[in-house]
Amino acid sequence: MELVIVNNKKTEKQFLDTHVVLNKHIPEWIRPLDKDIKQVFDPQKNKAFRQGECIRWILKDNNGKLIGRIAAFVNKKYRTKGDTQPTGGVGFFDCIDDQAAANLLFDTARDWLKERGMEAMDGPINFGERDRWWGLLVEGFYEPLYGMNFNPPYYKQLMETYGFQPFFDQICYSMGVDTQLQEKFFSRHAALAKDPAYRAEYINKKNLEKYAGDFTTIYNKAWARHEGGKDITKQQALNIFKQMAPAMDEKIVWFAYHNNEPVACWLNLPELNQFFKHMNGKFGVLQKLQFLYMKLMKKCKKFTGIVFGVVPEFQGKGVDAFMIVEGAKVIQGTLSYRQYELQWIGDFNPKMLNIAESLGTKPSRKLITYRYLFDRTKEFKRHPIL
């Protein structure tokens, strides 16, 4: 076997090709957009490079055939509450069903991380945000959501045989759009609907700046200080909203207000892989026209939950139910979607798991984030419960 560092356009292409070669025979697999993978490793587009570095390898057999790949990352900001050691990451792992090949990839990544002072590695994770390319699929081997890892079932054995242990489970939930909400949602909604101070509305893309400001307020109250996170600026939120705008369906992005102050948000997007599965990894001019046509013709019958949050002072007051019922009136009554699936929720977050289950959803798939401690005598601890 031969390990090759990705350091030019040829090896960059081979890094992309490895994933295709090892998964193209699986009917449920959807090829990711090449541009989405490339930007992870582009210092001009990935802000994680400000705090870290990464490296990629491809693995070939003696005949030059692509049989594996892996990336390793160091990010100074990557830390989980309770960690007592610096932890790096590995991701974009692909490998034939061969333990020796997998071990070579993991050993190489481990040694690179050790040289940079790391004492553990989590994987498969992303060099950046957790909303993409995070976790190993272990249950629910059907069409992945946009930005979600997809892998054959045997990857679990490759990782666990090497010594990786589950750090936390990532649960996805799904439901039919026409599923009737539980009665408690309607009773809680009715209680708040009597108070004119409360209202909920879907966004208007002509006024993205306003909603970006509302999201900033909610995010900085509800999430920013979770595990030491930083506040975001209104401009950062506006940039995110502008990136989402071409795919955004206004009627599935909701905000709740109390006396005109934003107190909750429920952000969903059409499930983009329902478009991209027809594009073979490309997104040039022709694919963009194809995307616009399919969107216009309402070809996407599935939408995905991205963000749900309530500011702390309004948690437990029924605002979540109020907003969901208001949204359901529009989504169930007028839109063409048939299936709803939530992006993954960590098993360390029982509050969000309870909210998902109370909607009437059922677990649809599971991914696992693994951790490997370099000191094999050290006690292993799972992610702490929030």
Side-chain angles (χ1 to χ4, degrees), residues 32-90:
L33 295 183
D34 292 348
K35 72 175 187 66
D36 287 344
I37 307 300
K38 287 180 178 180
Q39 72 180 14
V40 173
F41 304 99
D42 184 343
Q44 302 302 315
K45 296 182 178 179
N46 186 352
K47 65 181 181 181
F49 278 95
R50 301 173 194 170
Q51 301 292 333
E53 60 179 314
C54 69
I55 188 171
R56 289 174 284 171
W57 296 271
I58 53 175
L59 183 63
K60 301 179 180 180
D61 67 12
N62 293 336
N63 298 316
K65 182 179 178 182
L66 296 168
I67 60 171
R69 70 172 188 174
I70 200 168
F73 331 109
V74 170
N75 186 336
K76 294 177 183 177
K77 288 188 174 182
Y78 182 66
R79 184 177 179 84
T80 301
K81 184 178 181 180
D83 281 357
T84 58
Q85 77 287 318
T87 303
V90 293

Short mmCIF file of all heavy atoms in Angstrom, two decimals, residues 32-90:
data_model
loop_
_atom_site.label_atom_id
_atom_site.label_comp_id
_atom_site.label_asym_id
_atom_site.label_seq_id
_atom_site.Cartn_x
_atom_site.Cartn_y
_atom_site.Cartn_z
N PRO A 32 -21.74 13.86 -2.75
CA PRO A 32 -21.68 15.25 -2.31
C PRO A 32 -21.20 16.16 -3.44
O PRO A 32 -20.52 15.71 -4.37
CB PRO A 32 -20.64 15.22 -1.17
CG PRO A 32 -20.49 13.78 -0.80
CD PRO A 32 -20.78 13.00 -2.03
N LEU A 33 -21.53 17.43 -3.35
CA LEU A 33 -21.01 18.39 -4.32
C LEU A 33 -19.51 18.55 -4.09
O LEU A 33 -19.05 18.76 -2.97
CB LEU A 33 -21.70 19.74 -4.16
CG LEU A 33 -23.21 19.80 -4.48
CD1 LEU A 33 -23.70 21.23 -4.34
CD2 LEU A 33 -23.52 19.25 -5.86
N ASP A 34 -18.75 18.47 -5.18
CA ASP A 34 -17.29 18.63 -5.07
C ASP A 34 -16.92 19.93 -4.38
O ASP A 34 -16.00 19.98 -3.55
CB ASP A 34 -16.65 18.59 -6.46
CG ASP A 34 -16.75 17.22 -7.13
OD1 ASP A 34 -17.10 16.25 -6.43
OD2 ASP A 34 -16.47 17.14 -8.33
N LYS A 35 -17.64 20.99 -4.69
CA LYS A 35 -17.30 22.31 -4.15
C LYS A 35 -17.44 22.34 -2.62
O LYS A 35 -16.69 23.05 -1.94
CB LYS A 35 -18.15 23.40 -4.79
CG LYS A 35 -19.62 23.41 -4.36
CD LYS A 35 -20.37 24.59 -4.93
CE LYS A 35 -21.78 24.69 -4.36
NZ LYS A 35 -21.78 25.01 -2.91
N ASP A 36 -18.39 21.57 -2.10
CA ASP A 36 -18.61 21.56 -0.66
C ASP A 36 -17.46 20.89 0.08
O ASP A 36 -17.12 21.28 1.20
CB ASP A 36 -19.92 20.84 -0.32
CG ASP A 36 -21.15 21.67 -0.69
OD1 ASP A 36 -21.00 22.88 -0.92
OD2 ASP A 36 -22.25 21.10 -0.77
N ILE A 37 -16.87 19.87 -0.54
CA ILE A 37 -15.71 19.21 0.08
C ILE A 37 -14.47 20.09 -0.07
O ILE A 37 -13.69 20.27 0.87
CB ILE A 37 -15.47 17.82 -0.55
CG1 ILE A 37 -16.75 16.98 -0.51
CG2 ILE A 37 -14.33 17.10 0.18
CD1 ILE A 37 -17.28 16.73 0.86
N LYS A 38 -14.29 20.65 -1.25
CA LYS A 38 -13.11 21.48 -1.51
C LYS A 38 -13.02 22.66 -0.55
O LYS A 38 -11.93 23.02 -0.10
CB LYS A 38 -13.12 21.97 -2.95
CG LYS A 38 -12.81 20.91 -3.99
CD LYS A 38 -12.84 21.50 -5.39
CE LYS A 38 -12.50 20.47 -6.45
NZ LYS A 38 -12.55 21.05 -7.83
N GLN A 39 -14.16 23.29 -0.26
CA GLN A 39 -14.10 24.49 0.56
C GLN A 39 -13.70 24.19 2.00
O GLN A 39 -13.19 25.08 2.70
CB GLN A 39 -15.41 25.25 0.51
CG GLN A 39 -16.58 24.63 1.23
CD GLN A 39 -17.85 25.48 1.10
OE1 GLN A 39 -17.93 26.38 0.27
NE2 GLN A 39 -18.85 25.17 1.91
N VAL A 40 -13.88 22.96 2.47
CA VAL A 40 -13.41 22.59 3.81
C VAL A 40 -11.91 22.76 3.90
O VAL A 40 -11.38 23.16 4.94
CB VAL A 40 -13.81 21.14 4.14
CG1 VAL A 40 -13.18 20.70 5.47
CG2 VAL A 40 -15.32 20.99 4.21
N PHE A 41 -11.23 22.49 2.80
CA PHE A 41 -9.77 22.50 2.79
C PHE A 41 -9.18 23.74 2.11
O PHE A 41 -8.01 23.76 1.77
CB PHE A 41 -9.26 21.22 2.12
CG PHE A 41 -9.78 19.97 2.79
CD1 PHE A 41 -10.87 19.28 2.25
CD2 PHE A 41 -9.23 19.52 3.97
CE1 PHE A 41 -11.37 18.15 2.88
CE2 PHE A 41 -9.73 18.39 4.61
CZ PHE A 41 -10.80 17.71 4.07
N ASP A 42 -10.01 24.76 1.96
CA ASP A 42 -9.60 26.01 1.32
C ASP A 42 -9.45 27.09 2.39
O ASP A 42 -10.43 27.53 2.97
CB ASP A 42 -10.66 26.44 0.29
CG ASP A 42 -10.25 27.67 -0.49
OD1 ASP A 42 -9.32 28.38 -0.06
OD2 ASP A 42 -10.86 27.92 -1.55
N PRO A 43 -8.21 27.53 2.66
CA PRO A 43 -8.00 28.54 3.71
C PRO A 43 -8.74 29.84 3.45
O PRO A 43 -9.01 30.60 4.39
CB PRO A 43 -6.49 28.76 3.69
CG PRO A 43 -5.92 27.51 3.10
CD PRO A 43 -6.94 27.06 2.08
N GLN A 44 -9.09 30.11 2.22
CA GLN A 44 -9.81 31.34 1.90
C GLN A 44 -11.30 31.23 2.24
O GLN A 44 -11.98 32.25 2.38
CB GLN A 44 -9.65 31.67 0.40
CG GLN A 44 -8.21 31.82 -0.05
CD GLN A 44 -7.47 32.91 0.71
OE1 GLN A 44 -8.00 34.00 0.91
NE2 GLN A 44 -6.26 32.61 1.15
N LYS A 45 -11.80 30.02 2.36
CA LYS A 45 -13.24 29.82 2.58
C LYS A 45 -13.58 29.20 3.93
O LYS A 45 -14.74 29.26 4.35
CB LYS A 45 -13.82 28.96 1.45
CG LYS A 45 -13.74 29.63 0.09
CD LYS A 45 -14.35 28.76 -1.00
CE LYS A 45 -14.30 29.47 -2.34
NZ LYS A 45 -14.87 28.64 -3.43
N ASN A 46 -12.62 28.60 4.58
CA ASN A 46 -12.87 27.93 5.86
C ASN A 46 -12.15 28.68 6.98
O ASN A 46 -10.93 28.64 7.08
CB ASN A 46 -12.41 26.48 5.81
CG ASN A 46 -12.78 25.70 7.06
OD1 ASN A 46 -13.27 26.26 8.04
ND2 ASN A 46 -12.55 24.40 7.04
N LYS A 47 -12.93 29.35 7.83
CA LYS A 47 -12.34 30.16 8.89
C LYS A 47 -11.63 29.32 9.96
O LYS A 47 -10.91 29.87 10.79
CB LYS A 47 -13.41 31.03 9.53
CG LYS A 47 -14.51 30.27 10.26
CD LYS A 47 -15.54 31.23 10.85
CE LYS A 47 -16.63 30.47 11.59
NZ LYS A 47 -17.66 31.40 12.16
N ALA A 48 -11.83 27.99 9.95
CA ALA A 48 -11.15 27.13 10.92
C ALA A 48 -9.63 27.20 10.75
O ALA A 48 -8.88 26.92 11.70
CB ALA A 48 -11.62 25.68 10.79
N PHE A 49 -9.18 27.60 9.56
CA PHE A 49 -7.74 27.73 9.34
C PHE A 49 -7.13 28.84 10.18
O PHE A 49 -5.92 28.86 10.38
CB PHE A 49 -7.46 27.98 7.86
CG PHE A 49 -7.44 26.74 7.01
CD1 PHE A 49 -8.57 26.33 6.33
CD2 PHE A 49 -6.29 25.96 6.92
CE1 PHE A 49 -8.56 25.19 5.55
CE2 PHE A 49 -6.28 24.81 6.15
CZ PHE A 49 -7.41 24.41 5.47
N ARG A 50 -7.95 29.77 10.67
CA ARG A 50 -7.43 30.84 11.51
C ARG A 50 -6.93 30.30 12.84
O ARG A 50 -6.07 30.91 13.49
CB ARG A 50 -8.51 31.89 11.77
CG ARG A 50 -9.07 32.55 10.51
CD ARG A 50 -10.25 33.44 10.87
NE ARG A 50 -11.01 33.83 9.68
CZ ARG A 50 -12.19 34.45 9.72
NH1 ARG A 50 -12.73 34.75 10.88
NH2 ARG A 50 -12.82 34.76 8.60
N GLN A 51 -7.50 29.17 13.27
CA GLN A 51 -7.16 28.59 14.57
C GLN A 51 -6.53 27.21 14.46
O GLN A 51 -6.32 26.55 15.48
CB GLN A 51 -8.42 28.50 15.43
CG GLN A 51 -9.12 29.82 15.69
CD GLN A 51 -8.31 30.74 16.58
OE1 GLN A 51 -7.51 30.28 17.39
NE2 GLN A 51 -8.48 32.04 16.41
N GLY A 52 -6.26 26.75 13.25
CA GLY A 52 -5.75 25.39 13.15
C GLY A 52 -5.15 25.07 11.80
O GLY A 52 -4.92 25.95 10.96
N GLU A 53 -4.93 23.79 11.58
CA GLU A 53 -4.35 23.31 10.33
C GLU A 53 -4.89 21.91 10.05
O GLU A 53 -5.42 21.23 10.93
CB GLU A 53 -2.83 23.28 10.40
CG GLU A 53 -2.27 22.39 11.51
CD GLU A 53 -0.75 22.36 11.54
OE1 GLU A 53 -0.14 22.22 10.46
OE2 GLU A 53 -0.19 22.48 12.64
N CYS A 54 -4.74 21.47 8.81
CA CYS A 54 -5.21 20.13 8.46
C CYS A 54 -4.31 19.54 7.39
O CYS A 54 -3.48 20.22 6.78
CB CYS A 54 -6.65 20.17 7.98
SG CYS A 54 -6.88 20.96 6.38
N ILE A 55 -4.48 18.25 7.18
CA ILE A 55 -3.73 17.51 6.18
C ILE A 55 -4.61 16.38 5.67
O ILE A 55 -5.50 15.91 6.39
CB ILE A 55 -2.40 16.96 6.77
CG1 ILE A 55 -1.51 16.37 5.67
CG2 ILE A 55 -2.68 15.95 7.88
CD1 ILE A 55 -0.11 16.01 6.15
N ARG A 56 -4.37 15.96 4.42
CA ARG A 56 -5.14 14.86 3.83
C ARG A 56 -4.19 13.84 3.21
O ARG A 56 -3.12 14.19 2.72
CB ARG A 56 -6.06 15.39 2.71
CG ARG A 56 -7.23 16.19 3.17
CD ARG A 56 -8.00 16.79 2.00
NE ARG A 56 -7.31 17.93 1.42
CZ ARG A 56 -7.66 18.54 0.29
NH1 ARG A 56 -8.69 18.07 -0.42
NH2 ARG A 56 -7.00 19.59 -0.15
N TRP A 57 -4.65 12.59 3.24
CA TRP A 57 -3.92 11.52 2.57
C TRP A 57 -4.89 10.68 1.74
O TRP A 57 -6.07 10.54 2.08
CB TRP A 57 -3.26 10.57 3.57
CG TRP A 57 -2.20 11.16 4.44
CD1 TRP A 57 -0.87 11.25 4.19
CD2 TRP A 57 -2.38 11.70 5.77
NE1 TRP A 57 -0.21 11.82 5.26
CE2 TRP A 57 -1.11 12.11 6.24
CE3 TRP A 57 -3.50 11.89 6.58
CZ2 TRP A 57 -0.93 12.69 7.49
CZ3 TRP A 57 -3.33 12.48 7.83
CH2 TRP A 57 -2.06 12.86 8.28
N ILE A 58 -4.37 10.10 0.67
CA ILE A 58 -5.07 9.04 -0.05
C ILE A 58 -4.24 7.78 0.05
O ILE A 58 -3.02 7.83 0.21
CB ILE A 58 -5.34 9.41 -1.52
CG1 ILE A 58 -4.04 9.84 -2.21
CG2 ILE A 58 -6.40 10.49 -1.62
CD1 ILE A 58 -4.20 10.11 -3.70
N LEU A 59 -4.90 6.64 -0.03
CA LEU A 59 -4.24 5.34 0.08
C LEU A 59 -4.48 4.55 -1.20
O LEU A 59 -5.62 4.43 -1.66
CB LEU A 59 -4.78 4.57 1.28
CG LEU A 59 -4.14 3.22 1.59
CD1 LEU A 59 -2.65 3.38 1.93
CD2 LEU A 59 -4.87 2.52 2.73
N LYS A 60 -3.39 4.04 -1.77
CA LYS A 60 -3.47 3.23 -2.99
C LYS A 60 -2.93 1.84 -2.72
O LYS A 60 -2.08 1.63 -1.84
CB LYS A 60 -2.65 3.87 -4.11
CG LYS A 60 -3.07 5.27 -4.50
CD LYS A 60 -2.17 5.82 -5.61
CE LYS A 60 -2.56 7.23 -6.02
NZ LYS A 60 -1.68 7.75 -7.10
N ASP A 61 -3.44 0.86 -3.48
CA ASP A 61 -2.85 -0.48 -3.37
C ASP A 61 -1.64 -0.57 -4.30
O ASP A 61 -1.24 0.42 -4.94
CB ASP A 61 -3.89 -1.56 -3.66
CG ASP A 61 -4.37 -1.56 -5.11
OD1 ASP A 61 -3.76 -0.89 -5.98
OD2 ASP A 61 -5.39 -2.25 -5.40
N ASN A 62 -1.05 -1.77 -4.39
CA ASN A 62 0.19 -1.93 -5.16
C ASN A 62 0.00 -1.71 -6.65
O ASN A 62 0.96 -1.49 -7.38
CB ASN A 62 0.77 -3.33 -4.91
CG ASN A 62 1.27 -3.49 -3.49
OD1 ASN A 62 1.59 -2.51 -2.82
ND2 ASN A 62 1.31 -4.72 -3.01
N ASN A 63 -1.26 -1.74 -7.10
CA ASN A 63 -1.55 -1.49 -8.51
C ASN A 63 -1.97 -0.06 -8.79
O ASN A 63 -2.38 0.27 -9.91
CB ASN A 63 -2.65 -2.45 -8.99
CG ASN A 63 -2.23 -3.90 -8.90
OD1 ASN A 63 -1.10 -4.26 -9.27
ND2 ASN A 63 -3.11 -4.75 -8.39
N GLY A 64 -1.91 0.79 -7.74
CA GLY A 64 -2.27 2.18 -7.92
C GLY A 64 -3.76 2.46 -7.78
O GLY A 64 -4.20 3.59 -8.01
N LYS A 65 -4.54 1.46 -7.38
CA LYS A 65 -5.98 1.64 -7.22
C LYS A 65 -6.27 2.37 -5.92
O LYS A 65 -5.67 2.08 -4.89
CB LYS A 65 -6.68 0.28 -7.22
CG LYS A 65 -8.18 0.33 -7.10
CD LYS A 65 -8.78 -1.07 -7.12
CE LYS A 65 -10.29 -1.04 -6.95
NZ LYS A 65 -10.88 -2.41 -6.92
N LEU A 66 -7.23 3.31 -5.95
CA LEU A 66 -7.60 4.06 -4.76
C LEU A 66 -8.38 3.16 -3.80
O LEU A 66 -9.41 2.60 -4.17
CB LEU A 66 -8.46 5.27 -5.15
CG LEU A 66 -7.78 6.32 -6.03
CD1 LEU A 66 -8.81 7.30 -6.58
CD2 LEU A 66 -6.70 7.06 -5.25
N ILE A 67 -7.87 3.04 -2.56
CA ILE A 67 -8.53 2.15 -1.60
C ILE A 67 -8.85 2.83 -0.27
O ILE A 67 -9.45 2.21 0.62
CB ILE A 67 -7.68 0.88 -1.33
CG1 ILE A 67 -6.31 1.26 -0.77
CG2 ILE A 67 -7.55 0.05 -2.60
CD1 ILE A 67 -5.51 0.05 -0.29
N GLY A 68 -8.49 4.10 -0.11
CA GLY A 68 -8.80 4.76 1.14
C GLY A 68 -8.38 6.22 1.15
O GLY A 68 -7.64 6.68 0.27
N ARG A 69 -8.87 6.94 2.16
CA ARG A 69 -8.49 8.34 2.35
C ARG A 69 -8.78 8.74 3.78
O ARG A 69 -9.58 8.08 4.47
CB ARG A 69 -9.25 9.26 1.39
CG ARG A 69 -10.74 9.38 1.71
CD ARG A 69 -11.43 10.44 0.87
NE ARG A 69 -12.81 10.65 1.33
CZ ARG A 69 -13.63 11.59 0.88
NH1 ARG A 69 -13.22 12.41 -0.09
NH2 ARG A 69 -14.85 11.72 1.36
N ILE A 70 -8.16 9.81 4.23
CA ILE A 70 -8.44 10.36 5.56
C ILE A 70 -7.89 11.78 5.62
O ILE A 70 -6.96 12.13 4.89
CB ILE A 70 -7.83 9.49 6.68
CG1 ILE A 70 -8.50 9.76 8.03
CG2 ILE A 70 -6.31 9.70 6.78
CD1 ILE A 70 -8.17 8.73 9.10
N ALA A 71 -8.49 12.59 6.49
CA ALA A 71 -7.98 13.92 6.79
C ALA A 71 -7.79 14.03 8.29
O ALA A 71 -8.50 13.38 9.07
CB ALA A 71 -8.95 14.99 6.30
N ALA A 72 -6.82 14.83 8.71
CA ALA A 72 -6.58 15.07 10.14
C ALA A 72 -6.57 16.57 10.37
O ALA A 72 -6.09 17.34 9.53
CB ALA A 72 -5.28 14.44 10.59
N PHE A 73 -7.10 16.99 11.54
CA PHE A 73 -7.24 18.42 11.83
C PHE A 73 -6.78 18.75 13.25
O PHE A 73 -7.00 17.97 14.17
CB PHE A 73 -8.70 18.89 11.75
CG PHE A 73 -9.57 18.11 10.79
CD1 PHE A 73 -10.55 17.25 11.26
CD2 PHE A 73 -9.43 18.25 9.42
CE1 PHE A 73 -11.37 16.55 10.39
CE2 PHE A 73 -10.24 17.55 8.54
CZ PHE A 73 -11.21 16.71 9.02
N VAL A 74 -6.22 19.92 13.39
CA VAL A 74 -5.97 20.53 14.70
C VAL A 74 -6.67 21.87 14.70
O VAL A 74 -6.50 22.68 13.79
CB VAL A 74 -4.46 20.72 14.96
CG1 VAL A 74 -4.25 21.57 16.20
CG2 VAL A 74 -3.77 19.38 15.11
N ASN A 75 -7.49 22.09 15.71
CA ASN A 75 -8.21 23.35 15.84
C ASN A 75 -8.15 23.78 17.31
O ASN A 75 -8.67 23.08 18.18
CB ASN A 75 -9.67 23.18 15.39
CG ASN A 75 -10.44 24.48 15.35
OD1 ASN A 75 -10.11 25.45 16.03
ND2 ASN A 75 -11.51 24.51 14.56
N LYS A 76 -7.51 24.91 17.57
CA LYS A 76 -7.33 25.35 18.96
C LYS A 76 -8.65 25.55 19.69
O LYS A 76 -8.71 25.48 20.91
CB LYS A 76 -6.52 26.64 18.98
CG LYS A 76 -5.08 26.48 18.51
CD LYS A 76 -4.36 27.83 18.48
CE LYS A 76 -2.95 27.67 17.94
NZ LYS A 76 -2.25 28.99 17.85
N LYS A 77 -9.71 25.84 18.93
CA LYS A 77 -11.01 26.09 19.55
C LYS A 77 -11.81 24.81 19.78
O LYS A 77 -12.87 24.86 20.40
CB LYS A 77 -11.83 27.04 18.68
CG LYS A 77 -11.32 28.47 18.68
CD LYS A 77 -12.30 29.38 17.96
CE LYS A 77 -11.88 30.83 18.08
NZ LYS A 77 -12.85 31.73 17.41
N TYR A 78 -11.32 23.68 19.30
CA TYR A 78 -12.08 22.44 19.44
C TYR A 78 -11.88 21.87 20.82
O TYR A 78 -10.79 21.38 21.16
CB TYR A 78 -11.68 21.43 18.37
CG TYR A 78 -12.47 20.14 18.45
CD1 TYR A 78 -13.84 20.14 18.18
CD2 TYR A 78 -11.88 18.94 18.83
CE1 TYR A 78 -14.59 18.98 18.27
CE2 TYR A 78 -12.62 17.77 18.92
CZ TYR A 78 -13.97 17.80 18.64
OH TYR A 78 -14.72 16.64 18.73
N ARG A 79 -12.92 21.92 21.62
CA ARG A 79 -12.84 21.42 22.99
C ARG A 79 -14.24 21.09 23.47
O ARG A 79 -15.20 21.81 23.21
CB ARG A 79 -12.20 22.46 23.91
CG ARG A 79 -11.98 21.99 25.34
CD ARG A 79 -11.27 23.05 26.15
NE ARG A 79 -11.08 22.62 27.53
CZ ARG A 79 -10.07 21.86 27.95
NH1 ARG A 79 -9.17 21.45 27.09
NH2 ARG A 79 -9.96 21.51 29.22
N THR A 80 -14.39 19.99 24.18
CA THR A 80 -15.66 19.59 24.78
C THR A 80 -15.57 19.77 26.28
O THR A 80 -14.52 19.51 26.89
CB THR A 80 -15.97 18.11 24.44
OG1 THR A 80 -16.02 17.96 23.03
CG2 THR A 80 -17.29 17.69 25.05
N LYS A 81 -16.67 20.25 26.89
CA LYS A 81 -16.70 20.43 28.33
C LYS A 81 -16.29 19.14 29.03
O LYS A 81 -16.79 18.06 28.73
CB LYS A 81 -18.12 20.84 28.76
CG LYS A 81 -18.25 21.16 30.23
CD LYS A 81 -19.65 21.60 30.57
CE LYS A 81 -19.78 21.93 32.05
NZ LYS A 81 -21.15 22.38 32.40
N GLY A 82 -15.34 19.26 29.94
CA GLY A 82 -14.86 18.10 30.67
C GLY A 82 -13.59 17.49 30.12
O GLY A 82 -12.97 16.64 30.77
N ASP A 83 -13.16 17.92 28.95
CA ASP A 83 -11.92 17.39 28.37
C ASP A 83 -10.73 17.74 29.26
O ASP A 83 -10.61 18.87 29.74
CB ASP A 83 -11.69 17.96 26.97
CG ASP A 83 -12.52 17.28 25.90
OD1 ASP A 83 -13.23 16.32 26.23
OD2 ASP A 83 -12.45 17.71 24.74
N THR A 84 -9.86 16.77 29.43
CA THR A 84 -8.63 17.00 30.20
C THR A 84 -7.41 16.88 29.31
O THR A 84 -6.28 16.93 29.80
CB THR A 84 -8.53 16.00 31.36
OG1 THR A 84 -8.55 14.66 30.84
CG2 THR A 84 -9.67 16.19 32.34
N GLN A 85 -7.61 16.72 28.01
CA GLN A 85 -6.50 16.59 27.09
C GLN A 85 -6.81 17.36 25.81
O GLN A 85 -7.98 17.53 25.45
CB GLN A 85 -6.24 15.11 26.75
CG GLN A 85 -7.21 14.48 25.76
CD GLN A 85 -8.59 14.20 26.31
OE1 GLN A 85 -8.71 13.75 27.43
NE2 GLN A 85 -9.62 14.47 25.52
N PRO A 86 -5.78 17.85 25.11
CA PRO A 86 -6.00 18.46 23.79
C PRO A 86 -6.41 17.37 22.80
O PRO A 86 -5.80 16.30 22.75
CB PRO A 86 -4.64 19.07 23.45
CG PRO A 86 -3.64 18.32 24.26
CD PRO A 86 -4.36 17.89 25.51
N THR A 87 -7.44 17.66 22.03
CA THR A 87 -8.01 16.66 21.13
C THR A 87 -8.04 17.17 19.70
O THR A 87 -8.52 18.28 19.45
CB THR A 87 -9.44 16.29 21.58
OG1 THR A 87 -9.40 15.83 22.94
CG2 THR A 87 -10.04 15.21 20.68
N GLY A 88 -7.53 16.37 18.80
CA GLY A 88 -7.61 16.67 17.37
C GLY A 88 -8.75 15.92 16.72
O GLY A 88 -9.59 15.31 17.41
N GLY A 89 -8.79 15.96 15.41
CA GLY A 89 -9.87 15.29 14.72
C GLY A 89 -9.43 14.59 13.46
O GLY A 89 -8.40 14.95 12.86
N VAL A 90 -10.18 13.58 13.08
CA VAL A 90 -10.01 12.93 11.78
C VAL A 90 -11.38 12.90 11.10
O VAL A 90 -12.42 12.86 11.76
CB VAL A 90 -9.45 11.50 11.90
CG1 VAL A 90 -8.02 11.51 12.41
CG2 VAL A 90 -10.33 10.62 12.78
#
